[in-house]
Amino acid sequence: MRVANTSTDNGSRLAVEHAGSWRLISAPDAPASVDELVRGGDAARQRVAQLAPSGEPVAEEALGLCIPSPQKILCIGLNYRRHAVEANMPLSPTPVIFAKFNNTLIASRQPVGLPTTGEAYDYEAELAVVIGRRAVNVSEESALDYVWGYCNCNDLTERELQNRTSQFILGKTLDGFLPVGPWLVTADEIGDPQQLPIRCWLNGELRQDSNTSDMVFSVREIISYISRYLPLEVGDIIATGTPGGVILGRDPKVWMKAGDVVDVEVGGLGRLTSPLVTAAW
């Protein structure tokens, strides 16, 4: 199942892909958004599947955010070997975890504003995981049972701010700096998350070309590790790291700027497109 939110005259509603087209889910007893669908469990998924064939058509271009409102957005740093090398940083014996906030979430095709206070803007194509069940101290063997679905994400970063101190957070949490989408795909349609091609284009030029099999810590390991220390709640998002090929590792470094367009594709998750503009501040 592929799902996203879409805007209507009555506010945001849930849209689901059925037989190659997108359909509006609008019955009174149906989930009204991706958030309600994810939190509604199996019963909500079954209801949406029943309603999809009769839903009103929705243009793909009208799709908005494809993820719920997460309590936590957790990101994994240096989780591909080539990226650690190009960043001139050693591999960690345990996952490197930092956070983003809800202000960073933005849908595919929505413009991302680059503040004039920075200039070292970089892309990071990543696989995002959406949690579907509360996970506390789960084993690696059962970890994928707690995944609701997957989507593309782009962990946009301002490198000077990121490296100004030992804490990444300032360079990672500017408004719109976690584009996601274009849709959320249920885990059953993806299968093994460690066998997905992952690619990023800047203005049509292929910049990152790898596979999730190259992760240092797998999705199973990441979920299990985090859940030992803090609960993963329904709707939480984990961005699982980026492969080599970012601007930080290039010579010369030509940072992104307003007018550029970044595209990300991970496996069969569609194409996430982010046009860059000058921020209003």
Side-chain angles (χ1 to χ4, degrees):
M1 182 183 292
R2 299 178 178 186
V3 298
N5 290 323
T6 188
S7 295
T8 72
D9 293 340
N10 296 317
S12 180
R13 300 295 300 182
L14 176 66
V16 60
E17 190 267 344
H18 176 76
S21 64
W22 284 88
R23 302 282 176 167
L24 183 66
I25 304 300
S26 56
D29 62 339
S33 65
V34 173
D35 195 292
E36 290 188 14
L37 174 62
V38 172
R39 299 180 195 282
D42 289 342
R45 284 183 59 177
Q46 292 169 6
R47 182 61 176 144
V48 166
Q50 292 171 351
L51 291 169
S54 59
E56 179 184 342
V58 176
E60 184 177 316
E61 293 75 17
L63 299 181
L65 274 177
C66 68
I67 45 86
S69 300
Q71 183 189 93
K72 294 182 288 292
I73 302 173
L74 301 174
C75 306
I76 310 302
L78 304 172
N79 200 30
Y80 287 76
R81 290 170 177 83
R82 273 189 57 209
H83 179 53
V85 170
E86 69 184 1
N88 197 30
M89 297 183 73
L91 290 176
S92 171
T94 58
V96 176
I97 301 171
F98 61 94
K100 287 202 171 196
F101 305 125
N102 283 1
N103 71 299
T104 62
L105 295 173
I106 194 168
S108 184
R109 300 188 183 91
Q110 289 187 318
V112 177
L114 304 181
T116 57
T117 50
E119 61 178 25
Y121 293 112
D122 208 347
Y123 49 78
E124 292 191 10
E126 305 199 10
L127 170 67
V129 177
V130 175
I131 299 297
R133 296 168 51 197
R134 192 172 195 263
V136 179
N137 199 25
V138 304
S139 67
E140 290 182 16
E141 291 73 21
S142 66
L144 295 186
D145 296 338
Y146 293 80
V147 176
W148 197 93
Y150 302 94
C151 66
N152 301 305
C153 72
N154 190 346
D155 178 19
L156 295 173
T157 307
E158 207 288 342
R159 297 297 185 189
E160 192 278 326
L161 291 176
Q162 177 191 11
N163 296 317
R164 186 177 289 182
T165 70
S166 61
Q167 303 299 310
F168 291 174
I169 196 165
L170 189 59
K172 294 284 190 175
T173 55
L174 302 177
D175 278 354
F177 266 46
L178 190 64
V180 294
W183 43 70
L184 176 63
V185 182
T186 49
D188 61 293
E189 291 200 9
I190 298 304
D192 184 358
Q194 303 310 140
Q195 297 296 326
L196 303 175
I198 178 169
R199 299 185 180 94
C200 177
W201 293 261
L202 179 62
N203 299 325
E205 176 188 354
L206 183 63
R207 291 294 189 90
Q208 293 181 282
D209 188 5
S210 186
N211 192 285
T212 56
S213 62
D214 290 332
M215 286 184 186
V216 178
F217 300 101
S218 68
V219 174
R220 288 182 182 271
E221 291 173 303
I222 291 166
I223 292 172
S224 178
Y225 179 80
I226 293 172
S227 75
R228 295 177 211 165
Y229 303 101
L230 69 158
L232 287 167
E233 305 290 352
V234 176
D236 283 352
I237 297 171
I238 304 173
T240 55
T242 198
V246 299
I247 298 173
L248 178 67
R250 297 174 68 90
D251 186 20
K253 296 174 178 56
V254 181
W255 303 110
M256 297 189 303
K257 62 187 184 305
D260 288 345
V261 177
V262 190
D263 293 296
V264 170
E265 285 187 0
V266 183
L269 300 175
R271 176 169 285 213
L272 168 65
T273 297
S274 300
L276 308 181
V277 299
T278 301
W281 52 281

